Amino acid sequence: MSAVIQPGKVPGTATTAATASGSRLALRRFLRNRLAVVGLGVVVLIFLFCFIGPLVYSTDQTHTMLQQVNLAPSGSHWLGTDAVGHDELGRLMYGGKVSLIVGLAAGTLATVIGTLWGAVAGYAGGWIDAVMMRIVDAGIAIPALFILLVVSAITTPDLTGLIVILGFVSWLVPSRLIRAETLSLKNRDYVLTLRAIGGTHSRAITRHILPNSVSTIIVAATFQIADAILLVAYVSYLGLGVQPPATDWGGMLSAGLTAAYSGYWWLIIPPGLAIIVVVWAFNAIGDGLRDAFDVRGRG
């Protein structure tokens, strides 16, 4: 059986216009979701606060200043100072930068690994799919936080090491999502046509399966970033994250916990609220993107 291809036509290009139209419709649906738009605005403000803020509100986050330990919020120090004299507002910016960098990088790494694993498993099918997904099932059965604690107890990771560790314990859920998407896409006409004219498996995955799974990948990445920020906060709270003088919001919570019992509320409430707000914001964006790309809900 041979496939007939019209001159000038490339398998899959017939869906280009439909894809563009679907993207515009998804954007309109996303913008109608007020919580998602608010979440996006919060994320933008947090990025400006953490990355642009230190340029406006410059503080020393390296050296100890024992003459200004645990000062209450004032005009000189808007959120007070911590146990070694660091300005708490500047510390919040600095720690937020680390949390966001780790969250974004680890979430992206987890999504990339999960996408490739799930696409190969779903496209290959048969015993290859069965073996690969049993590995995923076994990994999901082990709590990610437990793996992080074991690895962190064995070695003290730097920023890059923490990103790699988080990425390699968080790719399992995205792999299941992409596998399910691949199973529905691999039998589409444009994929079957490509295979009929001698296209390779890798071309089918990279040129057709993955591009048509972009919506699922984006949604998965958004949730993975939120989970990574929360995981690094857990690990740092237990004292196993980035080491001083570097810090993140979880490390600030850990450092301020004992001081909070002495009434120094400014050492624990700001980083705690920051974690809650940024995780909520990314989850709101993820929910909005999921609803926007959900074809069953489109009118």
Side-chain angles (χ1 to χ4, degrees):
M1 177 179 177
S2 60
V4 177
I5 307 297
Q6 295 181 6
K9 297 292 186 180
V10 179
T13 56
T15 63
T16 302
T19 300
S21 176
S23 298
R24 289 192 293 269
L25 178 59
L27 177 61
R28 289 197 295 269
R29 287 172 57 83
F30 179 83
L31 294 176
R32 287 200 298 266
N33 188 320
R34 293 182 179 179
L35 281 179
V37 173
V38 171
L40 180 60
V42 168
V43 168
V44 171
L45 290 176
I46 289 175
F47 268 87
L48 291 175
F49 173 76
C50 294
F51 290 89
I52 306 299
L55 302 178
V56 179
Y57 189 83
S58 180
T59 60
D60 185 354
Q61 296 297 322
T62 303
H63 301 94
T64 59
M65 289 161 280
L66 300 181
Q67 71 276 14
Q68 56 182 37
V69 170
N70 293 329
L71 296 180
S74 64
S76 301
H77 304 282
W78 293 3
L79 287 180
T81 62
D82 63 11
V84 294
H86 292 149
D87 183 273
E88 189 70 2
L89 180 57
R91 199 77 173 157
L92 197 65
M93 297 175 183
Y94 181 77
K97 185 186 297 185
V98 174
S99 293
L100 291 173
I101 290 174
V102 173
L104 284 169
T108 301
L109 177 61
T111 304
V112 169
I113 297 173
T115 295
L116 294 177
W117 188 278
V120 171
Y123 185 82
W127 68 268
I128 296 177
D129 179 37
V131 171
M132 293 179 71
M133 297 316 295
R134 295 300 76 75
I135 293 174
V136 171
D137 292 340
I140 290 178
I142 304 174
L145 184 58
F146 174 76
I147 299 175
L148 285 172
L149 292 176
V150 172
V151 174
S152 297
I154 296 173
T155 180
T156 302
D158 57 8
L159 193 63
T160 303
L162 194 58
I163 291 171
V164 172
I165 293 170
L166 285 170
F168 275 89
V169 301
S170 305
W171 62 271
L172 301 169
V173 173
S175 71
R176 294 176 68 93
L177 295 175
I178 303 304
R179 171 186 177 266
E181 189 75 9
T182 302
L183 289 174
S184 68
L185 290 173
K186 71 176 185 178
N187 292 321
R188 299 287 177 89
D189 290 341
Y190 48 83
V191 177
L192 296 177
T193 301
L194 176 67
R195 296 294 302 129
I197 62 176
T200 62
H201 297 303
S202 60
R203 183 178 177 85
I205 292 175
T206 57
R207 295 295 298 273
H208 297 292
I209 300 295
L210 294 182
N212 285 283
S213 303
V214 167
S215 60
T216 302
I217 295 170
I218 292 174
V219 173
T222 306
F223 287 118
Q224 286 305 122
I225 291 170
D227 290 344
I229 292 174
L230 205 53
L231 279 174
V232 73
Y234 289 155
V235 174
S236 297
Y237 179 79
L238 296 174
L240 300 174
V242 292
Q243 299 303 305
T247 190
D248 57 68
W249 287 334
M252 292 177 66
L253 275 178
S254 179
L257 183 61
T258 55
Y261 292 117
S262 301
Y264 304 140
W265 56 267
W266 57 88
L267 299 181
I268 192 168
I269 291 180
L273 285 177
I275 294 171
I276 293 172
V277 169
V278 74
V279 171
W280 170 84
F282 274 109
N283 280 325
I285 294 172
D287 287 336
L289 289 172
R290 182 181 57 198
D291 293 342
F293 287 120
D294 185 4
V295 296
R296 293 172 299 178
R298 295 178 181 173

